[in-house]
Amino acid sequence: MKSYVLMSIGLLLCSCQAKLPVNVPELSDGNPTTCFVGTKGVNKVIFDQQYTAPFQSYKIYSSGETPAHDPSAWTLKGSFDGKNWVVVDERKDQTFCSRYQEILCPITQPSNYKQYMLEASTAAGDTLVLGDVLFFDTNLDANWENFNYPDVDFKVLDPETKGASVYTGLVQDPDAYIRFHARKVAEILFYTDKDTMNDVQKIEYTLKDYDGVSAKGGTPPVISIVYSTQHIEKSANESLYKLDFETRGVLYHELVHAYQFEPKGIGSYSTNKTFWACIEGLADAVRAQAGYFDMSTRKPGGNWMDGYRTTGFFIQWLTTKDSDAIRKFHETVRDLDEWSFDKAMKRMFGEDASIEGLWNEYQAFLSK
Ligand SMILES: [Zn+2]
């Protein structure tokens, strides 16, 4: 009896040492709050779904843990048989600009490997924690390699506030964080980095203690965005992830204002409601498309002229008819001499389309 127990413990130890984590669900769920907690030193993780299409890019996400737990160096390997491994991509000295942040890595020599292995370690030997590792069969960097990133001038006007200190825990490199989102906004508004777009050269981004959320000022080439430390503090009450979700969402909205075209022939933001609804609706449509709204808050009712999320959710819903609907909507703003919602819908969906018709269809969808 005794020897049997010893033997099984011995076997157990043996298999533990040899076994690598395979298909860790927390790494593939697209939710960086669920994470893989590894060990100190080099960690190996296997992704084996017997893949058929070659991966052309992948993203690694930081977790909500402190940056010392982030991967700093990693090697991605591919295999056809699970025995022989080929180096697919190698990264060193990587830093994540914030918590829950992706680093996008194109794969320069894709092949239809059946499985992948990630070998990763932290910078100073701390326990490795990974938020997510996601693979894509397209190169998500394609057409955007030459995006003109703006310079960022980041200032904290009220550093003694709780909001300012919480922000530092979330965002370690504000310049990189804001530049990252500038490109993400452009990717939703335009097709490629070669499209004609506003020449946003500089973004002055300020954390300020005031009763509000966020606002954009100025016009390209220099724009300014202010973000309320009081709002940061409120948003952080639930969790750091909730704060991240809100901070990115607000940033998407304000950065749309930097890159979006303005409707022509109908007055201005402060004199014409259609102009205002178009500007604020598109900003929230991009935020929704990026995934930074709780879409369960969509409710029937209102009007396309209500602006913000009422208009924004409608414009985003149009992507169910045409995946390029947001880009095409934005093109109507650029092209129409005298912009209106109805003309935009006709330009996008044909002369038989109308704003009333599409809005009613959207309302019916919401009422289901
Ligand atoms: Zn706005």
Side-chain angles (χ1 to χ4, degrees):
M1 198 63 192
K2 253 181 190 168
S3 65
Y4 173 77
V5 171
L6 281 176
M7 200 173 71
S8 54
I9 289 171
L11 281 173
L12 210 72
L13 285 174
C14 235
S15 62
C16 273
Q17 275 163 354
K19 204 163 185 210
L20 297 174
V22 182
N23 297 333
V24 180
E26 289 81 3
L27 287 179
S28 306
D29 60 1
N31 176 357
T33 63
T34 61
C35 44
F36 168 78
V37 180
T39 59
K40 297 177 176 185
V42 177
N43 287 251
K44 296 181 179 183
V45 188
I46 306 272
F47 301 85
D48 176 15
Q49 305 280 3
Q50 292 298 306
Y51 305 106
T52 48
F55 290 136
Q56 300 198 45
S57 55
Y58 66 101
K59 289 178 179 179
I60 293 194
Y61 284 78
S62 59
S63 68
E65 299 298 321
T66 54
H69 297 289
D70 289 347
S72 164
W74 62 81
T75 304
L76 184 70
K77 294 177 175 175
S79 178
F80 300 106
D81 57 9
K83 294 187 185 83
N84 301 297
W85 295 89
V86 179
V87 174
V88 173
D89 192 47
E90 213 166 357
R91 307 271 156 171
K92 285 194 177 79
D93 303 321
Q94 301 290 303
T95 49
F96 291 79
C97 62
S98 76
R99 305 302 77 215
Y100 314 112
Q101 173 63 30
E102 69 180 58
I103 289 181
L104 169 63
C105 307
I107 293 172
T108 44
Q109 287 187 303
S111 188
N112 53 342
Y113 300 111
K114 292 275 178 282
Q115 43 185 294
Y116 291 82
M117 179 174 14
L118 183 75
E119 300 179 2
S121 55
T122 60
D126 290 83
T127 306
L128 177 78
V129 183
L130 296 170
D132 269 323
V133 180
L134 305 178
F135 296 97
F136 302 90
D137 56 13
T138 54
N139 178 5
L140 296 183
D141 207 32
N143 299 319
W144 288 96
E145 294 101 330
N146 299 313
F147 175 70
N148 218 343
Y149 287 94
D151 291 331
V152 174
D153 187 4
F154 178 75
K155 280 201 186 78
V156 184
L157 287 190
D158 302 289
E160 73 291 349
T161 55
K162 177 140 187 277
S165 112
V166 171
Y167 187 89
T168 311
L170 175 70
V171 182
Q172 283 72 49
D173 183 346
D175 293 16
Y177 186 77
I178 291 154
R179 278 197 295 271
F180 167 82
H181 288 91
R183 174 170 142 178
K184 298 295 271 189
V185 162
E187 286 180 26
I188 295 172
L189 284 176
F190 304 95
Y191 292 90
T192 80
D193 57 18
K194 284 167 205 69
D195 289 1
T196 303
M197 60 183 84
N198 289 345
D199 183 23
V200 183
Q201 292 176 12
K202 190 176 183 185
I203 296 171
E204 296 166 347
Y205 192 88
T206 307
L207 299 189
K208 187 183 165 188
D209 185 4
Y210 77 106
D211 183 14
V213 178
S214 190
K216 170 254 177 190
T219 46
V222 181
I223 69 129
S224 57
I225 296 171
V226 59
Y227 189 35
S228 157
T229 55
Q230 291 181 31
H231 187 67
I232 295 171
E233 195 179 330
K234 266 180 249 159
S235 305
N237 277 337
E238 202 174 311
S239 68
L240 189 68
Y241 187 64
K242 187 75 207 302
L243 172 65
D244 182 66
F245 190 84
E246 176 67 10
T247 300
R248 289 179 197 269
V250 168
L251 190 50
Y252 267 101
H253 178 105
E254 302 302 346
L255 285 171
V256 171
H257 291 329
Y259 285 93
Q260 74 188 151
F261 300 123
E262 295 194 336
K264 293 190 290 283
I266 57 166
S268 68
Y269 184 89
S270 49
T271 64
N272 183 291
K273 199 182 172 195
T274 301
F275 189 115
W276 166 85
C278 170
I279 291 287
E280 298 299 352
L282 184 58
D284 270 357
V286 171
R287 176 177 176 175
Q289 182 70 4
Y292 289 98
F293 266 124
D294 174 1
M295 296 305 268
S296 70
T297 62
R298 290 195 298 188
K299 296 278 179 303
N303 185 277
W304 62 88
M305 287 287 282
D306 288 349
Y308 291 104
R309 65 187 75 181
T310 307
T311 309
F313 287 163
F314 166 69
I315 297 169
Q316 197 276 332
W317 169 79
L318 294 172
T319 62
T320 62
K321 301 182 156 295
D322 180 340
S323 60
D324 285 325
I326 293 177
R327 297 185 186 95
K328 288 180 179 171
F329 180 88
H330 191 217
E331 281 176 328
T332 70
V333 181
R334 181 193 65 194
D335 295 342
L336 289 169
D337 291 334
E338 204 178 295
W339 194 85
S340 75
F341 279 100
D342 195 56
K343 284 182 199 161
M345 295 306 116
K346 286 181 164 53
R347 182 69 71 99
M348 291 167 68
F349 298 105
E351 284 303 309
D352 291 341
S354 70
I355 185 64
E356 287 89 351
L358 284 157
W359 179 262
N360 290 339
E361 199 182 325
Y362 170 62
Q363 291 301 306
F365 159 79
L366 290 179
S367 305
K368 264 185 214 162

